[in-house]
Every structure is written in C-alpha cells, then in structure tokens.
Amino acid sequence: QVQVVESGGGLVQAGDSLNLSCAASGRPLSMVAMGWFRQAPGKEREFVSSIRWSGGSTYYADSVKGRFTISRNIRRNTVYLQMNSLKPEDTAVYFCAVQRVGAREYDSWGQGTQVTVSS
C-alpha cells in the first residue's frame, strides 16, 4: 500500500507564489510517474502537471504552462509543484497522485491540499 501526503497549500493573493510538496511512501514503491491534479468547487478534477520518475520528463496543462514548475527528489520519493503568478482561477483542492509500475493510470492519491488565491 502506498501513502501519498500533500502539503504546502494556503491562502495567497493574486500574483503570489506557493510551493506544494508531495511525499510517497510504502511498499512496493516503484513509480512510473507522479502528478498533480486539482478540483475547483463545482468542477471536474483536472490534470495540472506530471513528471516521469525515470528521466524526469515533465508535462503541464496549458493553463499553468510558464507559471508552474514540477520537480522531483528521487531519494525522498517527493514531488514539488512551484506555483508562480497565481490567479484566482487557480483556486482549488490540489491532489497528488502516484502511478506505480504495472499500473495503467494513477493508482494512489493523496487527500488534497487547499489552495486559495484571492483577487
């Protein structure tokens, strides 16, 4: 079983920055990728960003390209999401997810961390 724990959310003003962290633990923990998703009130959960564990290729939703940066620390099984130039429309619960080796999709999810951006 894999545990996924996010941290770093909060209340900020438009234009500010936040850095989210997500740590994965448990056994077995051979990961294909870790990703960030978000869900705003009344909306579907949407993809934000992901990083391949081997090689480090990164992917971003168009809405966050140029503002958000995903990175990883392999030794700590941790992924980070640096969010700059935050906008009110970035307000959402941000979820971290793990895709383990052998899984077709993300199969372990965190509880989420709230990010609120005021105008």
Side-chain angles (χ1 to χ4, degrees):
Q1 187 173 357
V2 176
Q3 292 77 45
V4 181
V5 180
E6 307 99 333
S7 62
L11 171 63
V12 297
Q13 293 186 331
D16 285 351
S17 298
L18 274 177
N19 189 31
L20 305 183
S21 299
C22 172
S25 61
R27 293 289 184 272
L29 191 58
S30 296
M31 294 187 286
V32 173
M34 290 186 75
W36 289 97
F37 296 76
R38 67 186 182 186
Q39 186 167 19
K43 295 188 176 181
E44 297 286 323
R45 185 169 61 192
E46 64 176 2
F47 169 78
V48 176
S49 181
S50 66
I51 187 165
R52 302 287 289 188
W53 214 244
S54 176
S57 297
T58 58
Y59 306 88
Y60 298 94
D62 288 343
S63 59
V64 306
K65 279 182 183 176
R67 299 188 298 122
F68 291 10
T69 302
I70 191 170
S71 61
R72 75 198 192 294
N73 183 317
I74 293 177
R75 289 183 62 186
R76 296 185 177 184
N77 290 323
T78 299
V79 65
Y80 307 95
L81 186 67
Q82 176 65 40
M83 305 186 294
N84 298 328
S85 303
L86 283 162
K87 304 176 181 180
E89 50 265 42
D90 294 318
T91 295
V93 178
Y94 283 70
F95 297 91
C96 178
V98 170
Q99 181 185 6
R100 291 181 290 173
V101 172
R104 294 182 180 180
E105 56 188 17
Y106 291 96
D107 60 331
S108 299
W109 292 81
Q111 294 296 310
T113 185
Q114 176 70 46
V115 172
T116 303
V117 185
S118 63
S119 57

